[in-house]
Amino acid sequence: GQSLEQPSEVTAVEGAIVQINCTYQTSGFYGLSWYQQHDGGAPTFLSYNALDGLEETGRFSSFLSRSDSYGYLLLQELQMKDSASYFCAVSSHNTDKLIFGTGTRLQVFP
Amino acid sequence: GAVVSQHPSRVICKSGTSVKIECRSLDFQATTMFWYRQFPKQSLMLMATSNEGSKATYEQGVEKDKFLINHASLTLSTLTVTSAHPEDSSFYICSARGGLSYNEQFFGPGTRLTVL
């Protein structure tokens, strides 16, 4: 089967840096995605990694190590609006679907 | 671009009735659409994968006779919750894949279903 584990909750202050880890177990791994979801809202796409290494998009970066079945999302210069839930999701070969992780609730304090 | 809409955004119904939720890709053709269910403070659970013109593929444990999915065109998929019961109350979210960004799924705003 497939499983993804994330910390349930992370707290930080404005301006800080936060790393949200994701470990996964899946067959036929293809790529790791990250999504942000505010309360009551739809998930929005943040990043995608298919190869090892770091992908940077503005204040957000995402890292993947395929050999370790591990990735993380790095959020820099935190802002209050970054308070949300963050999900990692894996996609596999031969399938279109995404399997979502357990989710990490990030709370940013002033 | 890549906007997905859902209708209705919120629905309250009596136990035993059926509810239809529409998911539309507004500015691209969605070769594949997905339906998820999300309970409060939990993750998104994939219910089914829907390809235009073919039968939906349901995830293990999801009752296909209870959650009817129709994907009649490249821009519209519908989910019908038949004979809804209070335990079906949840946030239902669709997503669509298509266009140039194959690795990304575009999510609709979700439908909050409350069954009394």
Side-chain angles (χ1 to χ4, degrees):
Chain A
Q2 296 167 309
S3 68
L4 298 91
E5 293 293 328
Q6 302 176 232
S8 59
E9 190 166 353
V10 174
T11 59
V13 295
E14 274 187 301
I17 299 173
V18 152
Q19 179 174 310
I20 299 175
N21 298 321
C22 173
T23 56
Y24 59 85
Q25 286 186 321
T26 185
S27 56
F29 174 84
Y30 191 76
L32 184 72
S33 304
W34 288 92
Y35 285 81
Q36 177 193 61
Q37 185 183 32
H38 287 95
D39 285 346
T44 55
F45 174 81
L46 293 177
S47 68
Y48 174 77
N49 296 68
L51 303 175
D52 286 356
L54 192 68
E55 294 281 342
E56 298 182 65
T57 309
R59 294 187 298 113
F60 295 178
S61 304
S62 59
F63 172 82
L64 175 66
S65 168
R66 296 172 67 107
S67 59
D68 295 324
S69 297
Y70 163 77
Y72 66 72
L73 179 70
L74 191 73
L75 299 87
Q76 303 182 72
E77 301 173 22
L78 282 174
Q79 302 175 9
M80 296 293 291
K81 67 178 182 180
D82 297 329
S83 293
S85 292
Y86 292 83
F87 296 91
C88 59
V90 294
S91 50
S92 303
H93 288 287
N94 303 319
T95 177
D96 291 331
K97 60 188 183 183
L98 285 176
I99 301 300
F100 281 79
T102 50
T104 299
R105 188 169 185 84
L106 170 64
Q107 292 191 66
V108 181
F109 293 97
Chain B
V3 178
V4 175
S5 70
Q6 270 184 251
H7 178 80
S9 59
R10 187 180 296 267
V11 58
I12 302 173
C13 69
K14 291 183 179 179
S15 185
T17 60
S18 294
V19 175
K20 179 186 282 189
I21 303 170
E22 291 186 349
C23 177
R24 294 181 185 271
S25 57
L26 298 185
D27 50 4
F28 68 101
Q29 292 187 325
T31 52
T32 306
M33 287 184 170
F34 305 87
W35 287 96
Y36 296 84
R37 181 166 55 180
Q38 187 177 32
F39 293 107
K41 300 190 186 305
Q42 294 189 23
S43 185
L44 287 82
M45 187 195 80
L46 179 65
M47 299 175 69
T49 302
S50 171
N51 291 295
E52 185 264 340
S54 62
K55 289 184 178 180
T57 302
Y58 290 81
E59 294 298 300
Q60 195 171 14
V62 178
E63 298 175 60
K64 60 181 66 177
D65 293 331
K66 180 166 184 65
F67 299 100
L68 301 178
I69 292 172
N70 184 278
H71 194 158
S73 76
L74 284 171
T75 59
L76 173 64
S77 176
T78 60
L79 167 68
T80 301
V81 183
T82 62
S83 187
H85 288 93
E87 58 265 29
D88 298 323
S89 298
S90 187
F91 193 49
Y92 291 86
I93 311 175
C94 71
S95 71
R97 164 176 278 158
L100 299 177
S101 183
Y102 184 76
N103 292 321
E104 182 178 346
Q105 286 188 21
F106 303 97
F107 283 82
T111 298
R112 175 81 54 195
L113 171 64
T114 303
V115 185
L116 302 176

